[in-house]
Amino acid sequence: METVKTLDVSDIYMLVTGIVLGTAARLLTLKVDMRQIPSYPSAYFNNIIHGFIAASLGAIAIPALAAQDFTAVTFLTLAVTQFREARTSEQESLSKLEHTEYAGRGKAYIDGIAKTFESRFYISLLTALVSVLVMKVTGMNSIPQSIALGVVSGGIVIYLCYRFTKGRTVGQIFDVAPGKIEVRGSELYVDDMFVTNYLGTDRSRALFEKEGLAVVITPRTAASRMTLENYGQRQAILFEAVRALGVKRYKFMRRHFASGKVLIAFVPIFRDENRLLSAVKKTPILENSRKIQRIMKISFGGRHG
Amino acid sequence: MGKRILVYVTADDKRVAGGDPLTLIIQDRQEQQETITELGRALRADIVQLKNGDYVLIADNK
């Protein structure tokens, strides 16, 4: 309470600016698209509130330290604990929903989503903290000028953090194309590559020939093939593909060992090829499947590392 | 996660050598199709037709 008493008007507008910018950072990084993560409106709202709390903690830290209230550092540790808790609860929530989906997201994808959520809260906190710090350090007398400086510095932090944490998508490193479905007896082929022999009945063969959709994902380089071969990554792609269109019956994913291509075939509820391609292309590349050449070349711990 | 054979359907009784899965000998092709479809639905299993014409009902090993 001691700290609150020492706050003057200049601290108040700094705090408000920091909180607004931090919350705005969460809003700007919060996308509701075809992936529907976070779900709308409940999880969307929860994230905004979390962003607001993160921004508040970040904004309060500098004035509190300036007032020689060094316990303010505990605010930041509190924030870290809170964000980690948000990540864990997101993981638990998505894991519990695994059996209700057309195809499971898989542990790798869930981990990636939860980590992204956590990192976005840090962006909120950092944005608020840096903007308040800049306003405090420059100590401008003009309030509008000080706020403008805070907005600019906050904007730079948002841009840099977002750029640093933003991952790539399947469409950026793989070629994604529609596949030609062919049924030979009880075997299903996509672009002349074997997928399955589970089409044992005439009904299933007719269904696939009439309504089936297939997509072929081709790695452009050896490094990108390593990413595509990662089971978690393939599971994430399958999840996004079938989630975008729904599954009426059957869903198959197959690796073609000779070419490194991955084939996905299923009978969708909405038969929309463009939507399927778009869903696959927009699937994020998971951090744990990503192979960065620059980092792979580094030899850790000496020549033999 | 492995797979297991639930039912084997054949028209040739010489192919039945014993073993764990239920093996049905059905001569009529139409009846084979209908039986395997009904069993597949009831057991929520996948149906594979081998090149020799026999049917296999396969399910995940949960």
Side-chain angles (χ1 to χ4, degrees), chain A residues 45-220:
Chain A
F45 182 70
N46 293 349
N47 272 279
I48 296 170
I49 297 299
H50 268 107
F52 171 77
I53 293 168
S56 303
L57 292 169
I60 287 166
I62 299 299
L65 283 172
Q68 295 194 326
D69 182 358
F70 297 109
T71 53
V73 178
T74 58
F75 277 111
L76 300 177
T77 57
L78 180 73
V80 172
T81 312
Q82 188 214 346
F83 301 156
R84 199 181 301 141
E85 188 63 35
R87 178 173 79 176
T88 313
S89 67
E90 189 63 32
Q91 271 175 335
E92 282 174 5
S93 168
L94 292 176
S95 298
K96 281 179 186 166
L97 293 173
E98 278 288 81
H99 299 292
T100 68
E101 305 283 359
Y102 293 114
R105 282 188 179 84
K107 287 178 181 169
Y109 196 16
I110 289 175
D111 184 65
I113 292 168
K115 272 182 189 161
T116 306
F117 274 34
E118 187 185 5
S119 74
R120 298 286 154 86
F121 294 136
Y122 287 116
I123 294 178
S124 281
L125 183 136
L126 272 178
T127 305
L129 193 135
V130 171
S131 56
V132 171
L133 179 69
V134 169
M135 285 191 281
K136 191 85 181 167
V137 168
T138 50
M140 285 184 176
N141 290 327
S142 162
I143 291 177
Q145 278 183 355
S146 181
I147 290 175
L149 192 67
V151 170
V152 171
S153 55
I156 291 169
V157 173
I158 295 171
Y159 174 75
L160 291 177
C161 288
Y162 184 65
R163 213 179 142 185
F164 183 71
T165 57
K166 191 173 183 285
R168 304 184 82 181
T169 60
V170 165
Q172 287 175 312
I173 63 171
F174 307 126
D175 290 321
V176 181
K180 185 173 168 283
I181 287 176
E182 195 185 341
V183 178
R184 301 178 197 161
S186 72
E187 294 176 344
L188 173 71
Y189 287 82
V190 170
D191 282 3
D192 225 22
M193 291 174 277
F194 176 81
V195 177
T196 184
N197 61 350
Y198 273 17
L199 305 183
T201 58
D202 291 342
R203 184 191 289 263
S204 61
R205 294 165 196 168
L207 183 70
F208 234 105
E209 278 181 325
K210 194 179 166 201
E211 299 183 38
L213 266 183
V215 64
V216 180
I217 306 155
T218 311
R220 290 179 192 152

Side-chain angles (χ1 to χ4, degrees), chain A residues 185-187 197-203 205 249-250 252, chain B residues 3 33 36-37 41 45-51 55 58:
Chain A
S186 72
E187 294 176 344
N197 61 350
Y198 273 17
L199 305 183
T201 58
D202 291 342
R203 184 191 289 263
R205 294 165 196 168
R249 191 83 172 87
Y250 304 111
F252 303 111
Chain B
K3 302 273 186 184
Q33 278 253 349
I36 204 79
T37 305
R41 284 176 183 166
D46 292 304
I47 301 165
V48 175
Q49 187 180 24
L50 306 180
K51 289 218 163 56
Y55 289 95
I58 296 177

Side-chain angles (χ1 to χ4, degrees), chain A residues 198, chain B residues 1-7 40 43-48 56-62:
Chain A
Y198 273 17
Chain B
M1 190 171 59
K3 302 273 186 184
R4 64 197 164 114
I5 296 174
L6 298 177
V7 181
L43 299 169
R44 293 181 168 271
D46 292 304
I47 301 165
V48 175
V56 187
L57 218 60
I58 296 177
D60 289 332
N61 217 350
K62 285 177 184 170

